[in-house]
Amino acid sequence: MSVDPMTYEAQFFGFTPQTCMLRVYTAFQDYLFEMMLVVEGVMLKKLDGIPGCKISPSKIRKCTEKFLLFMKEHFDKLFSKMEEVLLQLVLNIPKNVLLPEDKVQEQYPYSEEEFQALQDELQQLQQQCRAEAVLEQELLAELEEQKVVKAELEKILQCFDGLENICREHGAGNFKESFALLTQSSKKLQDVLKEVEEKSKKMNQHDQLM
């Protein structure tokens, strides 16, 4: 069997020539085995009808096996020559023949170095595409976060607008000034509360000493 992969022939035929030859060989071999079984059966029937015949079926089987081995050896030699002829003259595409689907290579030929450069460039473009896709996902996630923050800020602004309207209705003047006074008052209350807590702690300590 030929060791040449014959990939170009496989592209044209849809199967490798070696596979074709193997199937032909197997079919011939199966037919040879079946034929020998038929011959053996006919011989057994003929000998069974001869009076006084001393040839046993086991001897017939041994003779059949020897003849089958002889036939197989000669068949292998003949098939080897037939395979060589078929692979060279029938199932072989000449080196100067170009398949129709490969005509574009004749119009736009390129060297191995150019092909490798195209492969490298393609790989770089694929990496860039993947990086841009990741960046796009990150930007979309950030945009969603900004939308959430914007919605919360709008709620806070609406709350402040509501408080300013309430202050105006009750004659509190400018909301910003009122809010500043409220902040100062809250800080003063926190300072007073802290002072009271410190005095309370001191009184408790004094009571414990007494």
Side-chain angles (χ1 to χ4, degrees):
M1 192 68 68
S2 173
V3 295
D4 183 5
M6 304 182 73
T7 54
Y8 206 51
E9 286 77 6
Q11 178 181 337
F12 177 73
F13 293 112
F15 56 85
T16 61
Q18 290 88 345
T19 302
C20 176
M21 297 308 303
L22 178 61
R23 291 177 179 176
V24 172
Y25 177 81
T26 304
F28 270 106
Q29 199 172 46
D30 292 342
Y31 179 75
L32 180 62
F33 291 156
E34 292 175 2
M35 183 184 66
M36 293 308 301
L37 290 175
V38 173
V39 171
E40 182 181 1
V42 172
M43 292 177 63
L44 289 173
K45 287 182 180 181
K46 293 289 184 180
L47 293 174
D48 188 47
I50 299 176
C53 181
K54 297 182 180 180
I55 301 176
S56 64
S58 60
K59 289 184 178 180
I60 297 294
R61 171 54 59 91
K62 288 181 179 179
C63 292
T64 303
E65 291 176 349
K66 288 182 179 180
F67 185 68
L68 178 61
L69 181 61
F70 170 80
M71 291 290 293
K72 187 176 181 303
E73 290 176 353
H74 283 270
F75 171 74
D76 288 345
K77 292 178 181 179
L78 292 174
F79 187 83
S80 179
K81 295 180 180 180
M82 182 179 69
E83 178 189 22
E84 184 178 356
V85 172
L86 289 176
L87 290 178
Q88 289 181 358
L89 303 179
V90 180
L91 299 174
N92 180 53
I93 297 178
K95 300 299 182 180
N96 60 335
V97 174
L98 195 64
L99 296 179
E101 58 268 27
D102 295 331
K103 288 292 184 181
V104 66
Q105 296 182 12
E106 186 177 18
Q107 297 175 0
Y108 306 101
Y110 53 88
S111 62
E112 293 184 4
E113 292 78 9
E114 292 173 337
F115 178 75
Q116 186 61 42
L118 289 174
Q119 291 282 24
D120 296 340
E121 184 178 356
L122 178 62
Q123 187 175 4
Q124 291 178 0
L125 291 174
Q126 289 176 344
Q127 292 176 355
Q128 290 178 3
C129 288
R130 286 193 290 266
E132 290 179 359
V134 172
L135 180 60
E136 181 181 3
Q137 293 297 323
E138 293 177 353
L139 291 174
L140 289 174
E142 185 178 353
L143 181 60
E144 291 297 325
E145 292 178 0
Q146 290 179 358
K147 288 181 180 180
V148 174
V149 173
K150 182 180 179 182
E152 294 296 328
L153 289 175
E154 289 178 351
K155 290 180 181 179
I156 294 173
L157 290 175
Q158 290 176 0
C159 180
F160 277 112
D161 290 340
L163 290 174
E164 187 173 2
N165 291 332
I166 293 173
C167 290
R168 288 176 181 175
E169 290 176 359
H170 291 79
N174 192 313
F175 172 72
K176 292 181 180 180
E177 295 177 358
S178 301
F179 186 75
L181 292 173
L182 181 62
T183 303
Q184 293 177 0
S185 300
S186 176
K187 186 176 181 181
K188 289 179 180 179
L189 287 173
Q190 289 177 356
D191 294 338
V192 172
L193 180 61
K194 186 175 181 181
E195 184 178 353
V196 171
E197 288 178 351
E198 290 177 355
K199 289 182 179 180
S200 177
K201 288 180 180 180
K202 289 180 180 179
M203 290 179 65
N204 289 333
Q205 290 176 357
H206 183 270
D207 292 339
Q208 289 177 0
L209 291 174
M210 294 297 293

